[in-house]
């Protein structure tokens, strides 16, 4: 395939990918994690870093997002569109990495096309979080690593670029450390195989020293954050919200990666269990075939095959190990970085199929399957019928009188309501979080809570106003607030959120009798 043809096809794929991710971009209401991103970047730079340190994530995403917000604003569309653009960069890097790794532009285009249609990637590209920026950096670091290993003569510039990319990747999300561990393991195996395990040759090889220098660069850039990382890790060990890993955790993740669903896949009945386990079996078999097959011995790509396999497998093994022996960290969305390598591995396998007509047929079926799975996923979400916090905020601020207080009973919906109050209804400082204890845990928004956000029981004892609004949520274990006498509920509206764990947002208006 000619380069100019590949460029035009890639541009088309990226436009399709961005279009799919931009479709009804603001239809789903802002949820807690995204509201955390929005609220954190409202603080001055130094305060933002300080408050990010009190949370459980590194700060680079927030630094980049605050820069973006300074230029383009902090509306819901602006915040989410940054993730969409990062997803576009992911598609471009998927092409670059795959085309270079497997020495064929066609495989690169197929990998980009599959990722463009993948519902698992689309879901997280529509959130104001760090996931798509992380996938872009994951692929960039792998692309630089392969260039560094294959360059002859060895070039220090590739290794320096790789060191900077891994430091940036680690600064986005701590699950990046599992992906980097896969790359480090790959480098060690590569050096041992290339030198047949001879220690003397390994130590004399310039590539070894360049590798070490890349590691020094990466650690040097990241070193300033390591003490904070250790404090955050201790905080996670003390209190965290992720449930214990179970027997169905891994099959469910594999299922959602290939056939996304907002609910839990069926676990009852022989057929249901088989269907739930098939994606996991397919992924494991795909990794095995990818690592053991190479149909083009004249232009070997086995190094790339094993880099893809390890980059998809090691994050799972690391997460499972940590979750079993320390604090559970196993969460579907954290594997979005590993997911890109699963899709790239699938693209490489499909392109290796012979004869070519059979490969073309399988590619068409796979692309159609990805598209159909994504379509069914969005139909299942039914976002327009589940307006959640956005509709709740509209119900309050379109009818609220200026003197009426707005009390939110849960931090898991308060920051979203506050976002809409400020960004859409120009009511800064109006919603207040009701709590008798202002010491919120880090996973409940403690790092972004301000003293002026809090209101206690005194709000119900004041003589004025004679009416107020209360916003509750049944999600995240929330319990609706019960107001004391003489307050009487005069109206109530319920708004479903998209995902089951978010429950519904309840808007109530009270009058004092």
């Amino acid at each position: 395939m000619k380069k100019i043809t590949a460029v035009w096809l890639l541009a088309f794929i990226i436009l399709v990918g961005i279009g799919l991710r931009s479709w009804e971009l603001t239809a789903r209401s802002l949820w807690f994690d995204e509201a955390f991103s929005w609220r954190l970047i409202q603080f001055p730079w130094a305060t933002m870093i300080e408050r990010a340190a009190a949370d459980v994530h590194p700060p680079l995403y927030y630094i980049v997002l605050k820069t973006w917000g300074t230029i383009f604003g902090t509306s819901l569309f602006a915040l989410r569109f940054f993730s969409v653009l990062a997803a576009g960069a992911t598609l471009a890097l998927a092409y670059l990495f795959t085309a270079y790794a497997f020495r064929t532009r066609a495989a690169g285009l197929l990998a980009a096309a599959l990722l463009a249609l993948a519902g698992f990637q689309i879901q997280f590209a529509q959130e104001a979080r760090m996931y798509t920026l992380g996938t872009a950096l994951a692929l960039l670091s792998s692309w630089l690593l392969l260039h560094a290993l294959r360059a002859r003569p060895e070039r220090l510039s590739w290794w320096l670029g790789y060191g900077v990319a891994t430091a940036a990747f680690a600064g986005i999300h701590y699950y990046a450390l599992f992906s980097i561990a896969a790359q480090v393991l790959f480098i060690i195996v590569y050096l041992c195989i290339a030198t047949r395990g001879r220690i003397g040759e390994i130590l004399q090889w310039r590539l070894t020293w360049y590798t070490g220098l890349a590691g020094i660069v990466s650690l040097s850039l990241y070193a300033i954050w390591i003490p904070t990382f250790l404090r955050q890790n201790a905080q996670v060990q003390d209190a965290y919200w992720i449930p214990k890993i179970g027997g169905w955790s891994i099959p469910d993740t594999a299922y959602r990666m290939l056939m996304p669903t907002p609910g839990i896949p069926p676990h009852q009945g022989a057929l249901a269990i088989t269907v739930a386990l098939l994606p996991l079996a397919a992924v494991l078999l795909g990794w095995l075939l990818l690592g053991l097959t190479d149909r083009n011995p004249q232009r070997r790509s086995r190094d790339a095959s094993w880099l893809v396999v390890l980059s998809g497998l090691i994050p799972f093994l690391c997460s499972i190990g940590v979750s079993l022996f320390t604090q559970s960290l196993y969460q579907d969305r954290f594997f979005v970085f590993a997911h890109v390598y699963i899709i790239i591995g699938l693209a490489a396998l499909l392109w290796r199929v012979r004869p070519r007509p059979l490969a073309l047929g399988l590619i068409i079926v796979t692309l159609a399957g990805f598209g159909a799975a994504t379509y069914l996923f969005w139909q299942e979400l039914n976002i327009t019928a589940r307006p959640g916090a956005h509709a709740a905020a509209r119900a309050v601020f379109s009818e609220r009188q200026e003197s009426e207080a707005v009390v939110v009973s849960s931090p898991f919906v308060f920051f979203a309501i506050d976002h809409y109050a400020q960004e859409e209804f120009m009511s800064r400082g109006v919603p207040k979080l009701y709590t008798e204890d202002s010491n919120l845990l880090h996973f409940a928004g403690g790092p972004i809570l301000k003293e002026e956000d809090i209101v206690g029981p005194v709000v119900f004892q004041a003589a004025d106003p004679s009416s107020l609004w209360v916003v509750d949520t049944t999600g995240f274990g929330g319990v609706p607030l019960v107001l004391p006498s003489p307050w009487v509920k005069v109206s109530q509206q319920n708004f479903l959120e998209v995902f089951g764990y978010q429950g519904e947002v309840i808007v109530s208006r009270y009058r004092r009798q």
Side-chain angles (χ1 to χ4, degrees):
M1 181 183 295
K2 294 182 178 180
K3 184 176 181 180
I4 187 63
T5 303
V7 169
W8 280 108
L9 287 173
L10 177 61
F12 174 74
I13 290 170
I14 292 174
L15 285 175
V16 170
I18 290 177
L20 290 173
R21 287 153 177 80
S22 301
W23 176 255
E24 294 188 331
L25 186 58
T26 60
R28 180 192 171 191
S29 68
L30 191 76
W31 75 292
F32 175 76
D33 282 15
E34 295 180 287
F36 188 102
S37 299
W38 165 77
R39 171 61 82 90
L40 186 60
I41 66 172
Q42 305 299 309
F43 293 100
W45 287 98
T47 306
M48 182 187 75
I49 300 298
E50 180 182 346
R51 288 178 178 259
D55 188 42
V56 294
H57 293 300
L60 185 56
Y61 167 73
Y62 301 118
I63 293 172
V64 177
L65 187 66
K66 184 174 177 65
T67 304
W68 169 271
T70 301
I71 301 171
F72 298 103
T74 55
S75 67
L76 181 56
F77 178 84
L79 295 176
R80 285 181 174 170
F81 194 66
F82 173 76
S83 296
V84 170
L85 290 181
T90 296
L91 298 179
L93 286 162
Y95 165 78
L96 289 174
F97 170 73
T98 309
Y100 180 74
F102 297 99
R103 305 176 192 276
T104 168
R105 296 188 182 106
L109 291 171
L110 178 57
L114 290 173
L115 282 172
L117 296 174
F120 191 74
Q121 291 289 324
I122 293 173
Q123 176 184 348
F124 298 112
Q126 291 194 319
E127 292 191 0
R129 295 297 283 169
M130 64 285 293
Y131 304 116
T132 55
L133 184 56
T135 55
L137 288 170
L139 291 170
L140 176 62
S141 62
S142 294
W143 180 71
L144 291 169
L145 174 58
L146 272 187
H147 271 285
L149 287 171
R150 289 177 175 178
R152 294 294 182 273
E154 296 84 355
R155 292 175 57 185
L156 180 59
S157 57
W158 287 114
W159 286 107
L160 293 177
Y162 172 68
V164 173
T166 53
F169 188 20
I172 292 296
H173 195 285
Y174 289 131
Y175 254 60
L177 298 176
F178 297 154
S179 296
I180 294 171
Q183 294 174 352
V184 171
L185 177 60
F186 170 74
I187 293 170
I188 293 172
V189 172
Y190 182 95
L191 292 174
C192 289
I193 291 177
T195 61
R196 295 179 174 82
R198 299 185 180 96
I199 302 299
E201 288 188 27
I202 293 175
L203 294 177
Q204 292 175 9
W205 196 4
R206 183 185 301 174
L207 198 67
T208 305
W209 294 99
Y210 284 176
T211 303
L213 185 58
I216 292 172
V217 169
S218 184
L219 286 173
S220 298
L221 293 172
Y222 198 70
I224 192 173
W225 191 254
I226 291 177
T228 303
F229 163 69
L230 296 175
R231 289 196 302 271
Q232 290 179 332
N233 181 64
Q235 181 173 242
V236 167
Q237 302 302 315
D238 292 337
Y240 209 42
W241 59 272
I242 296 180
K244 292 292 184 182
I245 187 173
W248 278 99
S249 298
I250 302 169
D252 284 353
T253 300
Y255 188 97
R256 291 190 180 99
M257 282 181 167
L258 298 181
M259 293 181 287
T261 174
I264 298 174
H267 297 162
Q268 295 180 343
L271 178 61
I273 292 174
T274 301
V275 170
L277 290 175
L278 275 176
L280 176 61
V283 170
L284 293 175
L285 179 61
W287 278 337
L288 180 64
L289 291 174
L290 184 64
L292 297 180
T293 61
D294 192 338
R295 294 183 176 274
N296 197 345
Q298 285 76 33
R299 297 187 298 169
R300 297 184 64 84
S301 57
R302 187 160 293 181
D303 55 349
S305 297
W306 281 106
L307 176 57
V308 170
V309 169
L310 292 174
S311 296
L313 179 62
I314 295 300
F316 279 92
L317 296 180
C318 290
S319 178
I320 293 167
V322 171
S323 298
L324 288 176
F325 296 106
T326 58
Q327 170 67 46
S328 183
L329 299 175
Y330 190 98
Q331 184 71 4
D332 284 350
R333 63 177 175 269
F334 295 164
F335 294 106
V336 69
F337 311 136
H339 180 253
V340 294
Y341 294 101
I342 294 174
I343 301 303
I344 287 171
L346 174 61
L349 276 176
L350 288 172
W351 196 250
R352 288 179 181 176
V353 171
R354 295 293 185 276
R356 186 59 69 195
L358 176 60
L360 182 59
L362 289 174
I363 288 170
I364 293 172
V365 169
T366 303
L367 287 170
F370 270 58
T374 299
Y375 173 77
L376 293 174
F377 174 55
W378 287 109
Q379 290 292 108
E380 189 178 359
L381 287 179
N382 195 14
I383 293 176
T384 56
R386 298 170 180 175
H390 189 198
R394 186 185 301 114
V396 172
F397 291 100
S398 62
E399 298 184 27
R400 169 185 172 267
Q401 301 298 315
E402 187 174 353
S403 61
E404 291 178 327
V406 180
V407 179
V408 185
S409 64
S410 170
F412 293 107
V413 74
F414 167 72
F415 298 107
I417 297 295
D418 190 40
H419 170 274
Y420 288 117
Q422 293 192 39
E423 298 286 343
E424 190 169 334
F425 300 101
M426 309 304 172
S427 298
R428 180 182 296 273
V430 173
K432 300 291 184 183
L433 175 63
Y434 178 84
T435 176
E436 297 178 8
D437 181 5
S438 60
N439 295 319
L440 295 181
L441 292 173
H442 58 89
F443 61 80
I448 55 174
L449 191 67
K450 297 182 287 188
E451 185 177 350
E452 57 265 33
D453 294 329
I454 299 295
V455 69
V458 67
V459 70
F460 305 126
Q461 300 166 4
D464 186 55
S466 60
S467 61
L468 56 77
W469 296 81
V470 174
V471 182
D472 298 303
T473 179
T474 61
F476 305 99
V479 178
L481 190 63
V482 177
L483 269 62
S485 178
W487 291 99
V488 177
K489 185 185 297 185
V490 295
S491 68
Q492 177 178 310
Q493 300 177 68
N494 294 37
F495 303 97
L496 279 173
E497 288 282 13
V498 171
F499 292 95
Y501 61 84
Q502 294 177 276
E504 60 182 3
V505 183
I506 305 170
V507 173
S508 304
R509 192 176 190 178
Y510 287 82
R511 291 192 185 280
R512 188 196 304 273
Q513 284 193 335

